[in-house]
Amino acid sequence: MFSEISLNILDIVQNSVSARASLIEITVNISNAEDSLTAVIKDNGCGMTESELTKVVDPFYTTGNNKSVGLGLPFFKMAAKLSGGRFEINSEKGKGTEVKAVFVLSSIDRMPLGDMTETIMSVIIANRNTDIVYSYTVDEKGFVFDTRQIRQIFGDIPCDTLEVNEFIQSFLNENTAEINSGANY
C-alpha cells in the first residue's frame, strides 16, 4: 500500500493516462467541519464496461496489457475504508471514469495527504499532451490550477520546460501554503 494519499492519486492518474484521457481532473477537498478528506480523480478516457467496473477493485484483475495485477484501486479503496471512509468508482465505456475516495480526516488510520505539488508536477512532466485540472479546497478556501490556462499564458512554451515548471511549482506551493494556513494534512 502507498504511504500517502498523493501517491495513490498519482497511481490512479496513471490509469487515466493509460485509458487515453486527454483531460484529467483531480480534486482534493478537506472539510474540518465534516471531518473528511475527499479525493476525486475524473477523466475522459476510454472508460470501462459494467463487467470491467465490477472487477476493477479486485487486486488480481487489471485492464493493463503489461501488468499481471492491478493494485492501485484496491489499495485506494482499502485506505479509505480503513479510515472509516468510503470509496466509489463510476465509469462509462467511451466516456471516462470517476474515482472518489473519502477519508475520515481525524482517523488515526488515515494516511497523510502527502505532497500534492510533487504529484501534480510529476503528472505534468510525464504527460505533456494531457490537460490537468487540479482543485484544492480546505474549508471553502481553495484554488484551481489548469494546464489549459498555463498554455494560454506561456503560448508555445511546453508545460514541461524548466521555466514553466518553476512557475507551476511556485504557484502550487504558495497557494497550498496559503489555503492550509499552517495545518498539515
Side-chain angles (χ1 to χ4, degrees):
M1 180 167 10
F2 295 109
S3 59
E4 298 176 345
I5 295 170
S6 63
L7 297 176
N8 284 275
I9 291 171
L10 180 60
D11 184 71
I12 305 306
V13 167
Q14 287 310 117
N15 291 346
S16 297
V17 170
S18 296
R20 299 179 307 282
S22 61
L23 175 64
I24 302 170
E25 300 172 60
I26 303 164
T27 304
V28 174
N29 182 6
I30 298 168
S31 172
N32 285 294
E34 295 176 10
D35 195 27
S36 67
L37 185 156
T38 304
V40 179
I41 302 96
K42 181 179 178 183
D43 70 50
N44 67 351
C46 63
M48 291 178 275
T49 64
E50 285 293 323
S51 174
E52 290 170 325
L53 193 57
T54 59
K55 298 176 193 171
V56 77
V57 292
D58 178 346
F60 301 106
Y61 175 80
T62 181
T63 57
N65 295 332
N66 299 328
K67 296 193 279 186
S68 58
V69 294
L71 297 175
L73 285 167
F75 279 157
F76 202 36
K77 178 181 180 179
M78 184 177 70
K81 293 205 173 249
L82 280 173
S83 79
R86 64 186 189 283
F87 177 87
E88 301 168 19
I89 182 166
N90 297 296
S91 188
E92 188 176 337
K93 194 73 173 170
K95 301 235 175 171
T97 301
E98 180 175 295
V99 175
K100 179 179 183 180
V102 181
F103 299 83
V104 173
L105 189 61
S106 64
S107 173
I108 193 166
D109 294 319
R110 178 188 59 87
M111 62 182 69
L113 177 58
D115 193 339
M116 282 304 297
T117 295
E118 287 303 313
T119 295
I120 299 302
M121 294 302 300
S122 296
V123 171
I124 292 168
I125 291 167
N127 304 289
R128 173 185 267 202
N129 297 318
T130 305
D131 286 315
I132 306 298
V133 177
Y134 171 55
S135 303
Y136 183 73
T137 307
V138 176
D139 296 332
E140 307 304 320
K141 286 177 28 183
F143 69 91
V144 176
F145 167 81
D146 190 332
T147 55
R148 296 170 294 187
Q149 292 174 337
I150 296 300
R151 287 187 182 95
Q152 287 179 343
I153 293 168
F154 287 98
D156 293 336
I157 304 171
C159 286
D160 61 353
T161 61
L162 181 61
E163 297 81 11
V164 178
N165 272 212
E166 288 174 348
F167 172 83
I168 294 170
Q169 192 163 22
S170 176
F171 174 87
L172 293 172
N173 281 332
E174 289 172 14
N175 279 281
T176 301
E178 182 179 326
I179 300 305
N180 285 351
S181 301
N184 188 11
Y185 296 103

